[in-house]
Amino acid sequence: MSLFKRIKNLITPAEPPIIEKSIMTLSPGDVCEVSLVTYNITGRTHNRARNAIVLTLQDGISIRYLTIEERERTVYALYDSIDGRLDSIDEVPTILELDDRTYHMEEQFSGFIIASGKTPYMQGGEQHVWQYQSDDMKLLRIEWQDGRFMLYEGESVLPADVRVLRGG
């Protein structure tokens, strides 16, 4: 190797290593698999204070929502939106009965979210969330932001059932 090539190699910066996408860094345009179903990610909301993410997933015409929260372990839940409404943010009950199933409030929190892509809330801001669980382990989630309620029904997902297939 010539002296000039050696000097050129010393001066030229090395290419940065490619960082693989993790489930916490997925964003619109990426692809993931949940319980053996492949979804395109079309939206994402991120609550930094809780280290929680909600991904909007699309499989054909079906739209679902994957919540991911990093606590002492990473917790996943897959939801479908449901029809319903509540009258006031101040009157969210601690026990809800829906389709002969009783849900008990497990947690209530609020925080600022950052939204990107196609999400139920097209911009970030303060969001209030109520999470419920029934005796048969079904989940219910209520979100409120900017005067709008969204209701979701779903279930927990095992961490092994969630995989990143392709990052953008």
Side-chain angles (χ1 to χ4, degrees):
M1 188 181 289
S2 74
L3 179 63
F4 292 113
K5 284 186 180 180
R6 287 182 185 175
I7 293 172
K8 180 182 174 191
N9 287 342
L10 289 174
I11 296 172
T12 306
E15 290 187 24
I18 297 173
I19 299 172
E20 289 192 28
K21 288 271 189 169
S22 75
I23 197 70
M24 294 301 286
T25 61
L26 289 176
S27 57
D30 294 335
V31 178
C32 70
E33 180 181 275
V34 181
S35 300
L36 301 176
V37 178
T38 302
Y39 295 99
N40 289 318
I41 298 169
T42 60
R44 168 190 164 115
T45 61
H46 184 192
N47 182 332
R48 289 179 193 241
R50 287 185 62 92
N51 205 15
I53 295 170
V54 178
L55 297 175
T56 305
L57 307 177
Q58 187 166 5
D59 173 36
I61 61 168
S62 171
I63 295 177
R64 302 185 84 188
Y65 303 90
L66 179 67
T67 62
I68 308 159
E69 189 166 1
E70 279 195 337
R71 295 182 176 190
E72 52 279 352
R73 61 184 178 84
T74 305
V75 179
Y76 301 91
L78 188 61
Y79 291 95
D80 291 301
S81 65
I82 57 174
D83 290 334
R85 68 162 222 223
L86 296 168
D87 294 326
S88 169
I89 188 173
D90 298 321
E91 297 176 6
V92 176
T94 57
I95 297 175
L96 274 169
E97 190 165 323
L98 187 66
D99 296 332
D100 298 326
R101 182 175 284 135
T102 303
Y103 292 95
H104 300 274
M105 186 185 301
E106 296 255 311
E107 187 173 20
Q108 184 263 325
F109 60 90
S110 63
F112 286 92
I113 63 163
I114 299 168
S116 61
K118 296 178 181 178
T119 67
Y121 304 102
M122 293 310 290
Q123 61 187 17
E126 186 174 4
Q127 182 182 68
H128 295 265
V129 177
W130 296 263
Q131 295 185 150
Y132 296 78
Q133 185 171 342
S134 67
D135 290 337
D136 61 350
M137 305 301 283
K138 294 291 184 182
L139 303 175
L140 181 72
R141 179 180 173 100
I142 300 172
E143 297 176 346
W144 179 88
Q145 184 177 339
D146 294 331
R148 180 176 179 208
F149 279 104
M150 289 293 297
L151 285 76
Y152 309 92
E153 192 172 37
E155 54 193 24
S156 294
V157 177
L158 295 172
D161 287 347
V162 179
R163 293 185 348 165
V164 176
L165 295 181
R166 185 180 74 232

